[in-house]
Amino acid sequence: MARHIIAAVDEIPPGGRKQVEADGKKIVVFNLGGEFFALLDRCPHQGGALSGGILCGLTLSDEPGRYHFSRAGEMLRCPWHNWEFDIRTGKSWFDPRRTKVRAFPAHVEAGARLVEGPYQAETFPVQVEADYVVVEV
């Protein structure tokens, strides 16, 4: 897999998302409390753009009239037909073994570890000898 630098960390705030294109694929990147996850921006049902979906949580019930809400902001609801997907895995809530959105690895790397850009300043070695600055050209 090719690596793509898509944004500075502060461009996607916690709870936020950003749609990008990499290798001809539309991808949506999510920040869940400082952890980043990337999903193909296409619902497997009928192709709705998941980048326009609603972030929601997980509501479970162990008996009628009793509900437990958890994982706030970690589920994504397709804007077309409300299919829900786990942002962390891409798996659908209703049929996680068979229906899922393609997930891509996403992580944070220090800027100094990334490939240098096309612009580089010309540098020269500098030494201080006694009270004089000497530049070697």
Side-chain angles (χ1 to χ4, degrees):
M1 264 189 188
R3 294 174 359 145
H4 298 272
I5 301 167
I6 55 103
V9 169
D10 60 357
E11 287 181 42
I12 309 172
R17 68 185 96 177
K18 180 175 182 161
Q19 183 195 41
V20 298
E21 190 166 322
D23 284 341
K25 297 175 183 73
K26 289 185 180 178
I27 296 170
V28 59
V29 181
F30 297 91
N31 179 344
L32 299 182
E35 290 183 87
F36 290 84
F37 300 90
L39 299 175
L40 188 64
D41 192 19
R42 187 176 190 285
C43 179
H45 177 225
Q46 290 187 343
L50 293 175
S51 57
I54 296 170
L55 294 179
C56 55
L58 189 59
T59 304
L60 300 173
S61 176
D62 54 0
E63 63 182 72
R66 196 166 167 193
Y67 303 98
H68 304 281
F69 182 75
S70 64
R71 301 187 60 199
E74 293 186 20
M75 302 297 285
L76 176 65
R77 186 175 296 149
C78 176
W80 286 9
H81 301 107
N82 293 321
W83 285 30
E84 293 179 348
F85 300 93
D86 185 332
I87 291 172
R88 293 179 179 273
T89 64
K91 293 180 179 179
S92 68
W93 175 241
F94 65 91
D95 189 1
R97 283 184 270 156
R98 294 188 345 179
T99 305
K100 61 184 176 179
V101 176
R102 182 171 179 194
F104 298 92
H107 60 278
V108 175
E109 286 190 30
R113 293 186 59 200
L114 300 175
V115 177
E116 292 182 16
Y119 306 107
Q120 294 184 5
E122 184 177 5
T123 61
F124 302 96
V126 175
Q127 293 177 328
V128 177
E129 294 180 3
D131 294 326
Y132 301 95
V133 175
V134 177
V135 176
E136 296 177 17
V137 180

